[in-house]
Amino acid sequence: MKPLRKQRLLLVVLCGTMLTGVFGYSLSRPDGPHANAEQAPATSPASAATVQEPVVNPSAATAAKSELTPIKTTKLAAENGKFQLYVSEEDGQVRIRDKTSGKEWQSAPPVDRKIPPNNLRLIEAPVQIKYTEGKSISTTYPSKEKARVSGKPIESGYRFDFSFDTLGISFAMEYRLNKDGFELNIPFDSVKESGTVRLTGLEVLPYLNATVPGKRGAILLPDGSGALMKFKEYRPNNFGSYSQFVYGGDHAFQTTVYQKVRKARDENTVNPPKEKIALPVYGLFREDESAFLGIITRGDSDAKINATPSGIRNIPLYRTSAELMYRNDDVIFIGNSGEIPMIERTLIPGDRTIRYVLLQNEKANYVGMAHAYRDYLMKDQGISPVQDQSARFQLHLIGGVVQDEIVGKHLHSDDDVRAGEEDCGPAARSRS
């Protein structure tokens, strides 16, 4: 760095350390939308900030006393040494059962029989389809469109084929058991389109292990250093659902990074302050009971992670899922026209795969999820632990300009920077 002339200036030297583990920063976030953060251990994927949620819900005790809907997944489709896979051939629902403990993970948990029929059909849908006919994005599900559902056994699992004749869209969902849980795969060669309707995304297993309010537990979201949406029996009506792109939006498509896109680029409305999703993981746990960790192993660069608190759409369930994107959308302006929607012409290629790690008992918490993801990185991805566990030194320089004339003067010199580093002490310098 070339020497700069010394001038009057503001030099703030921030000396700090940042502990990093395999999951990112182990830092609390006391301000912003994730206030009242809880500090997570070094092996946790979260500093476990608490996401606030909307709407007031009925009590869990009342729900427990209600008469529940029957379980439709009665056919044993596959099993291994640890798990059994049950399916409903009628609508594509699945249920995983631990052969030793008897604990279960259901794509459509039983709910109060008095729930509105439309809501029940939505809960029982193993997939929600996002599509467009050239304008806005619409959402539907198999029973609403009277889709044809057929199934057949495959190695270690079962395959469902969905055909939406009203939309001209078809695809397959393949379930395979493994030693840690199961894997869901959507083969790209199974995704077909005919007619004018275009597929934009699939939200898979949106109600897997969904939970009524009042239970001890939370939804795990990889928002920045990590956040927990805790199950609460009563909540203020102030926030909506969570939906963010994994690794952040694609800047080639303005609608993925701006809240509102305008004709004049410099008038675009930015999104509220938030942190990007750093890891392709999400999950839900009922503390000391059961949990699942979803890991998007293929298609993670074109995916969203969604989380919805109880009460949204009058559905008394906390739920989280992955939305797999097949097309991006945007808006453009031509001449004096208003917004013109633009949809990608072709599908984003590639299989989409999610691995579900099923946890229970003392591992049914966010620390257990952290361990599960660490094991996946080490055993399946071949990532080695960091040998140097000492905290790394970081030096942030914030400079100011003395503007006592029309043209501002130079900033700080090399000597000022060195002096600031010296103030941090030799212990910090040895960790740089």
Side-chain angles (χ1 to χ4, degrees), residues 75-393:
K75 177 181 178 178
L76 178 60
E79 64 180 314
N80 59 17
K82 188 174 182 180
F83 297 106
Q84 295 174 317
L85 170 64
Y86 290 86
V87 301
S88 168
E89 295 178 300
E90 175 187 355
D91 54 15
Q93 291 184 48
V94 296
R95 173 169 57 98
I96 313 298
R97 179 180 180 274
D98 185 293
K99 295 167 68 173
T100 301
S101 67
K103 284 189 167 58
E104 297 183 336
W105 293 260
Q106 302 183 57
S107 63
V111 293
D112 190 339
R113 284 181 180 269
K114 296 178 182 178
I115 194 169
N118 286 342
N119 285 353
L120 178 59
R121 287 192 288 269
L122 183 62
I123 293 170
E124 292 180 340
V127 60
Q128 293 182 16
I129 298 87
K130 309 294 176 71
Y131 70 94
T132 181
E133 297 182 82
K135 296 183 180 179
S136 59
I137 306 297
S138 301
T139 303
T140 189
Y141 48 92
S143 62
K144 182 178 180 180
E145 302 297 328
K146 296 181 171 56
R148 290 184 289 113
V149 182
S150 60
K152 63 179 180 181
I154 57 175
E155 184 179 0
S156 302
Y158 203 79
R159 168 174 168 143
F160 286 103
D161 288 274
F162 296 86
S163 297
F164 294 76
D165 296 333
T166 56
L167 304 177
I169 293 174
S170 61
F171 57 88
M173 296 173 63
E174 297 176 342
Y175 298 89
R176 290 182 173 87
L177 294 176
N178 56 43
K179 62 183 179 62
D180 298 316
F182 70 99
E183 190 173 79
L184 168 60
N185 181 57
I186 301 178
F188 184 66
D189 59 12
S190 73
V191 181
K192 307 293 182 184
E193 295 175 321
S194 60
T196 60
V197 175
R198 293 292 175 260
L199 176 69
T200 62
L202 297 174
E203 186 175 0
V204 295
L205 300 183
Y207 288 86
L208 177 64
N209 225 36
T211 302
V212 296
K215 288 270 189 179
R216 292 176 58 216
I219 292 172
L220 171 68
L221 299 170
D223 181 76
S225 57
L228 296 178
M229 181 187 289
K230 291 186 176 181
F231 305 150
K232 294 182 180 179
E233 189 167 355
Y234 300 102
R235 295 169 291 102
N237 185 11
N238 53 2
F239 285 95
S241 299
Y242 175 95
S243 181
Q244 297 295 330
F245 285 94
V246 177
Y247 313 130
D250 186 343
H251 283 261
F253 301 91
Q254 297 181 89
T255 53
T256 68
V257 294
Y258 290 107
Q259 188 176 55
K260 178 66 177 176
V261 177
R262 302 182 185 279
K263 188 173 183 178
R265 277 286 189 93
D266 57 357
E267 295 180 1
N268 286 347
T269 305
V270 298
N271 286 306
K274 60 186 176 184
E275 300 197 51
K276 292 181 180 179
I277 288 179
L279 301 170
V281 298
Y282 63 98
L284 180 150
F285 67 89
R286 303 180 191 125
E287 197 165 326
D288 297 327
E289 292 185 30
S290 64
F292 78 85
L293 177 70
I295 307 172
I296 309 173
T297 58
R298 285 189 286 186
D300 51 315
S301 296
D302 298 291
K304 287 181 178 180
I305 291 175
N306 300 332
T308 306
S310 173
I312 300 295
R313 290 197 59 165
N314 199 30
I315 296 177
L317 294 171
Y318 281 88
R319 61 265 195 197
T320 184
S321 60
E323 183 177 339
L324 309 173
M325 309 301 295
Y326 283 89
R327 279 187 174 88
N328 286 299
D329 64 282
D330 209 345
V331 295
I332 58 175
F333 300 87
I334 301 176
N336 294 322
S337 68
E339 294 182 4
I340 299 176
M342 182 187 71
I343 308 294
E344 281 190 292
R345 185 181 299 275
T346 59
L347 291 165
I348 300 173
D351 291 358
R352 309 299 201 271
T353 306
I354 304 175
R355 175 178 296 194
Y356 294 89
V357 181
L358 306 182
L359 306 167
Q360 52 190 307
N361 302 329
E362 71 278 1
K363 296 182 179 180
N365 49 54
Y366 70 87
V367 176
M369 291 176 168
H371 291 167
Y373 188 56
R374 179 193 60 192
D375 292 344
Y376 163 77
L377 292 176
M378 293 173 59
K379 296 176 182 178
D380 294 84
Q381 300 299 309
I383 296 177
S384 301
V386 176
Q387 298 302 317
D388 183 5
Q389 298 294 329
S390 61
R392 310 307 298 173
F393 168 72

Side-chain angles (χ1 to χ4, degrees), residues 412-432:
H412 46 75
S413 68
D414 286 349
D415 292 338
D416 295 322
V417 174
R418 294 191 185 96
E421 186 178 3
E422 289 293 333
D423 290 341
C424 293
R429 293 196 302 277
S430 68
R431 297 196 302 272
S432 61

